[in-house]
Amino acid sequence: MNINKMLKNKGFTIIEMMISLVLGALLLGGIISLFTNNQQTYRIIQGTANLQDNARFAVDLIGEDIRMAGYMGCLSNLSNISLKNVLNNTGDDFAYQFNIGIEGFNSNGATWAPVLPAFISGMAPAPEANTDVIVIRRVIDNGASLVSNNPSPSEDMKIEDNTTLEDDEIVIISDCTKATLFQVTSANIQKGTGHINLTHNAGGKFTPGNKNEPLTDGPGYNPGEASIYKFVSNVYYIGRAQDTNGNNINNNQGNPVLSLWRRQAAAAPVEILRGVENLQILYGVDTTAGSPDGTIDQYQNASAVADFNRVITARVELTVNSIDAIGTQGDGVLRRTFSHTVRLRNRGS
């Protein structure tokens, strides 16, 4: 046997093995660190992108509603016309105050100014302290012309078949000099006529229902001059996020998750977007003494606005977050605040 060949084929020494292991560990540690950092960077970039998308959706949703706040078809100045509400008084009258197109409430801790009406304070979930609540009332279509009308509560009216109406919907009828808010008790398409037959009977199975009185106290609505419009009342606010069983939701750190909520008329509030933790609104108000001149004099929070019918613009500020902790600063939750100013349609110069 050739001893020299055996010596030449010997393996690694212990020192060489230890050096190799140390170098491998260092290399592996670097790879793991790089992978972890890349993952963290990806989470932050993805979280920031989601924040922007969520904020854009929320701002667009509220902004479009604000832009149309107070829109009542051909009615340009609700203070100079005859208004009548024939809905029953069921405690939900706040939702149907269609002479006030936009209205806000500001919280300073547990104190709200103006004081929250029961319609809002009784919502579940309740509005969060130190946030704002905004209420928008308007019509949401272009209207359907009146073809024939019987003003008695027990009789019907016909409108053009160019809109979708369902039983129990709240609508406004207007001829640009007067307007009445009432509830549809039946809406039936009359085949072959191009008309929809509407009734507005008193009582019935719907809430709030109509009073037993005509739509006007004076001259009725004339065919060809009046139209029917769908009416909507939306309340936007910040409240606790909830699961399908109504239980409050916490994030991965055990902290409460907040959401943007919307309540339409007397229906239950609906969670619109999770991860919206604050809503603040400033109102651009025409404070000119006497008759308004249509220009913004001051931006005020809701508690300082004396007359919401003088609001010309609204500056919406939304703070959205990543819900769960994905960062390393503070509580680890990413936050961004977005601001957008919206002019109300047909208000101001």
Side-chain angles (χ1 to χ4, degrees):
M1 182 179 293
N2 191 330
I3 297 177
N4 290 331
K5 285 185 178 181
M6 292 180 61
L7 292 174
K8 288 180 181 179
N9 292 332
K10 66 181 179 179
F12 294 106
T13 66
I14 293 179
I15 294 176
E16 288 173 332
M17 286 290 293
M18 292 179 64
I19 293 173
S20 299
L21 290 173
V22 170
L23 292 175
L26 292 174
L27 181 60
L28 183 60
I31 293 173
I32 292 174
S33 177
L34 180 63
F35 177 75
T36 302
N37 290 337
N38 284 342
Q39 270 197 323
Q40 179 69 7
T41 300
Y42 172 79
R43 284 196 297 266
I44 292 175
I45 292 174
Q46 188 65 37
T48 302
N50 289 339
L51 290 183
Q52 293 173 338
D53 288 342
N54 289 343
R56 186 179 299 110
F57 168 77
V59 168
D60 287 348
L61 178 68
I62 298 177
E64 178 61 23
D65 232 0
I66 291 175
R67 184 173 294 108
M68 302 298 292
Y71 174 58
M72 298 294 166
C74 64
L75 305 179
S76 60
N77 191 338
L78 296 179
S79 62
N80 294 331
I81 68 169
S82 172
L83 302 175
K84 187 175 182 181
N85 184 338
V86 299
L87 297 175
N88 283 323
N89 185 347
T90 62
D92 294 330
D93 286 3
F94 176 83
Y96 306 119
Q97 293 174 356
F98 68 116
N99 59 314
I100 305 176
I102 189 170
E103 195 169 359
F105 300 86
N106 176 254
S107 168
N108 183 7
T111 303
W112 289 86
V115 176
L116 289 180
F119 182 84
I120 294 179
S121 63
M123 294 188 305
E128 283 291 305
N130 298 313
T131 65
D132 281 6
V133 173
I134 185 169
V135 183
I136 298 163
R137 307 178 185 95
R138 65 184 183 96
V139 299
I140 58 174
D141 62 5
N142 294 321
S145 294
L146 182 67
V147 176
S148 67
N149 177 41
N150 291 307
S152 170
S154 62
E155 297 186 90
D156 58 11
M157 64 180 68
K158 292 180 176 62
I159 62 173
E160 291 181 336
D161 183 13
N162 61 354
T163 185
T164 57
L165 280 176
E166 297 180 1
D167 297 0
D168 89 345
E169 285 194 302
I170 306 297
V171 298
I172 286 176
I173 182 171
S174 170
D175 62 5
C176 305
T177 62
K178 58 184 177 293
T180 308
L181 188 74
F182 68 94
Q183 187 168 32
V184 175
T185 52
S186 71
N188 299 311
I189 298 176
Q190 295 184 312
K191 294 182 179 180
T193 66
H195 300 154
I196 297 175
N197 195 73
L198 295 184
T199 62
H200 50 94
N201 299 328
K205 61 181 179 179
F206 301 121
T207 301
N210 298 307
K211 299 174 184 175
N212 187 25
E213 58 184 68
L215 298 180
T216 69
D217 296 323
Y221 291 99
N222 296 322
E225 296 179 0
S227 295
I228 299 284
Y229 304 86
K230 291 184 182 181
F231 176 80
V232 67
S233 174
N234 289 328
V235 179
Y236 292 96
Y237 72 102
I238 304 301
R240 286 290 303 271
Q242 295 184 340
D243 61 22
T244 54
N245 295 319
N247 301 312
N248 292 337
I249 295 174
N250 295 329
N251 69 0
N252 59 2
Q253 302 298 306
N255 298 320
V257 175
L258 299 179
S259 297
L260 175 67
W261 290 77
R262 180 176 67 186
R263 183 181 189 185
Q264 293 192 313
V270 175
E271 189 175 12
I272 299 297
L273 184 64
R274 194 163 292 176
V276 184
E277 65 179 51
N278 204 349
L279 170 63
Q280 297 291 326
I281 300 177
L282 289 176
Y283 300 89
V285 185
D286 178 357
T287 59
T288 304
S291 299
D293 60 11
T295 60
I296 299 171
D297 297 305
Q298 293 181 14
Y299 272 91
Q300 302 173 334
N301 62 32
S303 61
V305 177
D307 182 0
F308 279 97
N309 284 323
R310 284 180 170 240
V311 171
I312 297 173
T313 62
R315 183 177 298 159
V316 181
E317 191 175 272
L318 276 171
T319 301
V320 297
N321 62 43
S322 59
I323 301 178
D324 289 326
I326 58 176
T328 57
Q329 296 182 345
D331 60 3
V333 176
L334 296 183
R335 291 178 175 83
R336 296 290 185 273
T337 299
F338 299 84
S339 181
H340 181 54
T341 300
V342 184
R343 175 176 286 272
L344 277 67
R345 179 175 179 173
N346 296 330
R347 288 205 188 177
S349 55

